[in-house]
Amino acid sequence: KDSRRRRDANTQDAMPEAGTMTLTVAEEEEEDEEGFHGHGHGSMEVLALPVALDRVGWGPFHWKFVVQCGLSWSCDMIEIALLSFLIPMVTSGPAALPSSTPSPGFLVGGVTFAGELLGSLLFGVVSDLKGRRIGYLASTALIALAGLLCAASQNVETLVALRFFVGLGLGGVTCAFTLLSEVVGSAHRGKRIILSMGLLWTAGGVFATGAAWALDALIPDPNWQWRALVMVSAAPSVLLLILFPWLVESPRFHLGAGKREAAEKTVRKIALANRASAFPRNFRLREPSAPSSRGEGATIARVLFGEDLWPTTLILASLWLLNMGSYYGICFVTPIYFKAQHDNVYVAAFVSSVSEVPGILAVSWAADRVGRRGALIAGYSVCAVATALLSLSAYLPYAALVTSAVFSRASAMASIMALYLYTPEVYPTQARNAALGLGSACSRVAGILVSYLSFRSETLASAVAAIAVYAASGKGK
């Protein structure tokens, strides 16, 4: 131990900006006992964290980590898709809960999104102060607990209060996205993460629709049916809590908190899991220079709303509002729309949910061939036309309406993926996260607005009017 301390002290004194330094054979043998298979015999490389993450590449560790972090996105979509089935059940029909409010459906949906808006701000601070892992744990636990408690609600007011806390937890899903992005090298941080998370988000929608369909067939009592649905919807969050002990903390957070050895341990674990043969056996992460945070928020605001970029920022904020409004609106109103026509609600909702997969694959192909803007224009055009056709219930048969719903939802989801890729690329590095955060806030506001349009009434006329608005928003984009 004394010799190691002296060696470390000498290393710190002699550490260059970049290069290698000699280590003793004893340490080299100790690394061999850990099973690390890399090069760098007898020398130590000093690496900046981005360089180290690029060197470990993408491998088995990241695929497992994508699933673990991406499941939080699935939980987000499950809880959002749940609203389209839950709200009609608890506001009308034999299982309706007592309520003293004039618009119970809007409250259940709108308050959920209001909780998300607040939660995204709250857990952003928590993850910066306590770590991404702690933010992930706290938000997931809140979703699971409040989601399960929703099943015990005896009136709409209690349900609304609990759905607020579910939304508050859903606002912390950004912790999982940040955590994943901070253990992935720059070469794999863009499209691969977005597409992986998008597919898992879609999987959540398919799960929610399939669960509602199955419970409708298995549980004849409507009162127990919706209670079982909210418990099943909370189950994936409980699963994430069980998997939590295997979740690593962000090495970037550890470095920023002065825990260099913990960051190095995480990077070493990733390299071992990925069998990164190009990664050095002996390495040390370079301590980051302490950036001055004074005026940082003002600087980012000046970038976003500066003379050169303020038109871009306003246009992108509008696109996020309209795009997410169209997507949420289509998800919410589709079951109500087909139910009002006495058609099979679950077939239409399930098929349109699954249709997001080809939409995501299509945009992944188009984004690099016609560009992000070209993909956005194509997605918005298809969404506007398909959603407009969906409103023509008096003239089109059921099969044609379902087809319109498929293209409407697939194109809306494809546009979201393209927007995720495009938004950070038009800003300098220091403002990219803030730009995505602004887009996220606009999407929550869109959720509140479409909750009113979709759930204010369950008549066919109201559903058609809402769909016409979503079609107009697609055309406006």
Side-chain angles (χ1 to χ4, degrees):
K1 290 182 179 178
D2 290 339
S3 64
R4 181 177 293 241
R5 291 194 189 98
R6 288 194 297 272
R7 183 172 62 248
D8 288 347
N10 293 334
T11 296
Q12 289 283 22
D13 293 339
M15 185 180 294
E17 281 297 308
T20 62
M21 57 187 65
T22 302
L23 290 181
T24 65
V25 177
E27 175 141 348
E28 187 175 326
E29 291 173 350
E30 183 180 12
E31 298 290 351
D32 287 339
E33 291 174 0
E34 292 180 7
F36 198 92
H37 302 288
H39 64 73
H41 293 280
S43 64
M44 173 178 285
E45 289 193 42
V46 181
L47 302 173
L49 180 59
V51 175
L53 293 177
D54 284 336
R55 297 272 291 270
V56 300
W58 179 283
F61 173 89
H62 292 99
W63 286 119
K64 295 175 183 176
F65 207 65
V66 159
V67 171
Q68 193 168 10
C69 291
L71 280 176
S72 66
W73 273 40
S74 297
C75 293
D76 188 355
M77 183 54 186
I78 289 169
E79 294 291 349
I80 296 302
L82 165 69
L83 296 175
S84 61
F85 303 103
L86 174 65
I87 290 176
M89 291 179 181
V90 300
T91 58
S92 63
L97 294 176
S99 173
S100 59
T101 59
S103 301
F106 164 62
L107 280 179
V108 174
V111 167
T112 301
F113 280 103
E116 279 202 64
L117 181 59
L118 182 60
S120 62
L121 301 174
L122 172 64
F123 286 105
V125 174
V126 171
S127 68
D128 285 341
L129 294 178
K130 301 297 182 181
R132 286 50 164 136
R133 193 168 179 264
I134 295 300
Y136 180 105
L137 172 63
S139 61
T140 304
L142 190 56
I143 296 169
L145 179 60
L148 291 172
L149 288 176
C150 284
S153 300
Q154 298 301 313
N155 52 59
V156 169
E157 287 73 22
T158 302
L159 182 62
V160 167
L162 290 170
R163 293 307 298 178
F164 171 80
F165 286 103
V166 171
L168 196 67
L170 293 176
V173 168
T174 52
C175 297
F177 185 83
T178 302
L179 178 56
L180 177 60
S181 66
E182 291 181 349
V183 298
V184 177
S186 58
H188 306 286
R189 195 176 297 143
K191 189 166 65 175
R192 182 170 290 186
I193 288 182
I194 294 298
L195 294 179
S196 299
M197 302 294 265
L199 288 172
L200 286 165
W201 167 276
T202 296
V206 173
F207 175 87
T209 305
W213 195 353
L215 292 173
D216 179 66
L218 295 173
I219 303 177
D221 185 350
N223 186 53
W224 284 105
Q225 189 181 122
W226 76 262
R227 297 180 192 276
L229 182 58
V230 296
M231 288 190 287
V232 169
S233 298
S237 296
V238 176
L239 174 61
L240 286 181
L241 292 178
I242 296 173
L243 297 175
F244 178 76
W246 290 274
L247 191 74
V248 301
E249 179 57 276
S250 162
R252 186 180 300 276
F253 173 78
H254 273 151
L255 271 185
K259 300 177 180 179
R260 178 177 55 79
E261 292 182 357
E264 290 170 351
K265 182 178 179 180
T266 299
V267 173
R268 189 183 306 277
K269 181 177 181 179
I270 298 172
L272 284 168
N274 287 354
R275 300 182 181 276
S277 59
F279 197 76
R281 174 183 293 107
N282 304 317
F283 76 98
R284 184 184 300 280
L285 292 178
R286 183 179 300 156
E287 298 281 359
S289 57
S292 173
S293 60
R294 184 179 181 182
E296 186 175 350
T299 301
I300 292 175
R302 282 197 295 270
V303 172
L304 293 177
F305 297 99
E307 183 177 353
D308 296 331
L309 287 174
W310 73 263
T312 300
T313 299
L314 293 181
I315 291 172
L316 283 175
S318 300
L319 290 179
W320 276 98
L321 181 71
L322 294 171
N323 201 157
M324 295 303 296
S326 297
Y327 176 77
Y328 284 139
I330 294 164
C331 293
F332 289 165
V333 84
T334 299
I336 299 172
Y337 179 69
F338 286 102
K339 181 181 178 180
Q341 300 182 81
H342 307 289
D343 290 321
N344 193 316
V345 175
Y346 301 107
V347 169
F350 188 83
V351 171
S352 62
S353 296
V354 174
S355 70
E356 291 184 12
V357 176
I360 293 171
L361 296 178
V363 76
S364 69
W365 177 86
D368 291 331
R369 288 166 176 79
V370 300
R372 277 50 161 162
R373 290 182 62 187
L376 283 169
I377 292 171
Y380 293 153
S381 300
V382 173
C383 183
V385 173
T387 309
L389 290 174
L390 184 60
S391 66
L392 302 178
S393 59
Y395 306 99
L396 297 177
Y398 174 72
L401 294 174
V402 171
T403 302
S404 298
V406 165
F407 279 94
S408 177
R409 186 156 171 178
S411 56
M413 186 63 186
S415 301
I416 292 171
M417 293 296 99
L419 199 56
Y420 257 111
L421 290 171
Y422 180 73
T423 299
E425 293 176 352
V426 297
Y427 292 98
T429 302
Q430 72 270 26
R432 289 178 177 177
N433 285 336
L436 283 174
L438 178 61
S440 177
C442 290
S443 69
R444 306 303 194 254
V445 174
I448 295 173
L449 295 176
V450 300
S451 293
Y452 175 74
L453 290 174
S454 300
F455 300 124
R456 57 178 177 165
S457 174
E458 294 183 29
T459 63
L460 178 60
S462 178
V464 169
I467 290 173
V469 172
Y470 305 145
S473 70
K475 184 178 180 180
K477 289 177 290 192

